[in-house]
Amino acid sequence: QLQLVESGGGLVQPGGSLTLSCAVSGFFLDYYTIGWFRQVPGKEREGISCTSSTGGSRTFYADSVKGRFTVLGDNAKNTTYLKMDNLTPEDTAVYYCAAGLFICDEVLGGPWYDYWGQGTQVTISS
């Protein structure tokens, strides 16, 4: 059974950093495209990154996080990470990872993905 489990959320002061983890089971991390998303209550889910490993790993980022967020992967642990730096209150959201069988060349929306984690809350506040 394919499963994704996020962890690492919490409360961080503006300007701080946080790294989220997405542990996957039931499949090999580099066989699937992995996306990170976030959602604020009352707003649409926002895709923030897309990573495909087929043919060489490439990650695409949404403009809202480009230069501040970095996706890292550890195939030995079958875990992907979202390293977030220079956080602002606008980054407050529930963050999700998702997996799908396709190759991305840009950040794509939720319907492309088949499997989702349960989400982890990130709150940026002083």
Side-chain angles (χ1 to χ4, degrees):
Q1 184 177 355
L2 280 68
Q3 190 173 17
L4 298 90
V5 179
E6 300 100 336
S7 61
L11 174 64
V12 178
Q13 290 189 341
S17 298
L18 195 65
T19 297
L20 306 181
S21 300
C22 173
V24 305
S25 59
F27 64 97
F28 291 111
L29 186 61
D30 56 358
Y31 285 6
Y32 277 72
T33 286
I34 301 296
W36 283 92
F37 292 79
R38 63 186 181 185
Q39 189 165 25
V40 176
K43 294 189 177 182
E44 288 190 4
R45 181 173 51 198
E46 178 190 13
I48 57 178
S49 73
C50 186
T51 302
S52 290
S53 297
T54 302
S57 183
R58 295 189 63 189
T59 299
F60 302 89
Y61 298 94
D63 288 342
S64 59
V65 305
K66 197 174 294 182
R68 301 188 299 122
F69 289 14
T70 305
V71 172
L72 304 168
D74 186 337
N75 287 344
K77 295 182 178 180
N78 227 25
T79 299
T80 184
Y81 305 92
L82 180 66
K83 183 177 183 297
M84 306 183 292
D85 297 314
N86 195 21
L87 289 162
T88 73
E90 288 67 37
D91 295 314
T92 295
V94 178
Y95 284 71
Y96 300 88
C97 59
L101 274 174
F102 61 94
I103 298 173
C104 63
D105 57 4
E106 61 180 334
V107 176
L108 297 175
W112 284 85
Y113 295 85
D114 300 307
Y115 305 99
W116 292 82
Q118 83 287 355
T120 186
Q121 175 70 46
V122 172
T123 302
I124 312 304
S125 175
S126 55

